[in-house]
Amino acid sequence: MGVANESVVIIGAGFGGIATAIELQRHGFTDLTLLDQASGLGGTWLYNSYPGAACDVPSHLYSFSFAQRRDWSRLCSPQDEILSYLREVAGDHGIDRLFEPNTRVTSCRWDDAARRWTVSAQDGRSWETDAVVIATGQLNQPAIPSIPGEFGGRAFHSARWDHEYDLRGKRVAVVGTGASAVQFVPEIAEQAAAVTIFQRSGNWFLPRANRPYPAAWKWAVQHVPGLQAYRRRFIFNYGETLTAAIRHPRTFGRWGRLQSTLFMRRQLKDPEVRRKAWPDYTFGCKRVLFSSRYLPALQRPNVELVTEPIERVSAGGVVTADGAERAFDCIIWGTGFRTNDFMFPMEVSGTGGRSLSEVWAGGAHAHNGILVPGFPSMFIVYGPNTNTSGGSIIFYEETQAAYIRQALQHVRARGVAAIDVQPEVEAASDRAVQARFAGTAWTQCDSWYRDERGRVVTNWPGYMRQYEAALRTLDPAEFAFVALPDPVRTEVPA
Ligand code: NAP
């Protein structure tokens, strides 16, 4: 007899963890526990509360397929609207009742004898479980560069915004010009006395005014049959077109670059700012940024764009390589996340006590981004090679949740302890994924998608629809099934 009601511990209460909990619960897995270090549900949408925080993927697509909302306030919803949507969906499905907040997981260890996992938290609590889902995401650990010197003023990262600190009248340095900075710079430029932006790389931009939806449009979405679904499909296809531009820089990519060039030339009237802000790499190599407000903000009289590299920080400011020192009250790090250190700083060990960090010493990889050989019934959500540059990560996470559910159904049906991907299957799928990056824009500059060896470790090389097709039906032949220990553990059904 197998385990009657497999227990599953899910780590990470963002979109991915919640999607998985809902999917498993719907299919009869009821012994679920959802852990997060935060005090509430929400993941990235809880942490990223900087001014102007919004999702640049339109909400009709950046939402669960099974919980479509017809009353989004605008094309790209702001952070608080997304957070309340996610919490509402979680509440509707009873997921909030599975939630253990303020739980900082320090380790996940597979026990070869018991053929189960032990998940341990910093405060001494632990959970014995049949399966573990790690849904901590790629954009979880803020990265602050180690720049020499010590700054005496206020400093914080965009994903840990200091809302107590009043920026009005202050001289503010912003380091970094990625998707986060592009959203908060136009907001803080309206408050601060002066904003200086330290840019290492320019970006390719496409327009997004993101005004509130007119009442007539909202009415139509709510009342015209099929309009909501059509809208979602349209945005999905737009995302796939962007992926085509990234996959094929010499053909579709030229179209993307032309659109961006025309838009940026229109927005960047000041020739000096235009020269500095212009990217020097292939369209789509880094994330293409959607904003109609950032480039105009750069041309405000109280905003300066600095492209000279930072040499050090001083007690009162920032010193650049040309020796210039600028004085600041505050530094905001818009410098992104430790994207290549999946699951950091959690310790994960599988069969034979092998640590995941050893297995991934040459760069992270996993079958379908989810399964690592030797880590039975450990599933990663938003794992290696599952990020998208032209779509909705929620689509990927729902796909992963359904795949994980299938894996656990096989475990249940066979009455075994766990499922483990065959090493040669994982190695072959990794080779196939890496081969698909050849010739794409992703390989043509440095970005957070690649590790120090140049391997693209975060992104999926294809389209959303291809990922979904690859994961639609789990093939049991690709897996080994781990038998229950002897004597057979029996459990009374819950
Ligand atoms: P990011 O895209 O990684 O940008 C970090 C910025 O900091 C880059 O401009 C980078 O320059 C710069 N930087 C890093 N280290 C530096 C250093 N030592 N000195 C100077 N500059 C440095 O981070 P992010 O803006 O937080 O965005 C991360 C990801 O989160 C995005 O790509 C996106 O996937 C997601 N995001 C999404 C949304 C959305 O609306 N959907 C919004 C925000 C974030 P280089 O480019 O030269 O490395």
Side-chain angles (χ1 to χ4, degrees), residues 45 48 50 54-57 62 139 145-147 157-158 175-181 183 198-203 286-287 310 334-337 382 387-388 446-449:
W45 294 105
N48 287 275
Y50 55 78
C55 186
D56 63 9
V57 180
Y62 194 83
L139 303 165
S146 45
I147 294 173
H157 188 273
S158 61
V175 183
T177 53
S180 302
Q183 292 184 343
F198 292 91
Q199 174 193 286
R200 195 165 64 178
S201 316
N203 292 294
K286 294 177 198 264
R287 190 178 172 94
I310 297 174
T335 40
F337 301 87
Y382 194 13
N387 184 55
T388 172
D446 288 336
S447 74
W448 65 258
Y449 306 142

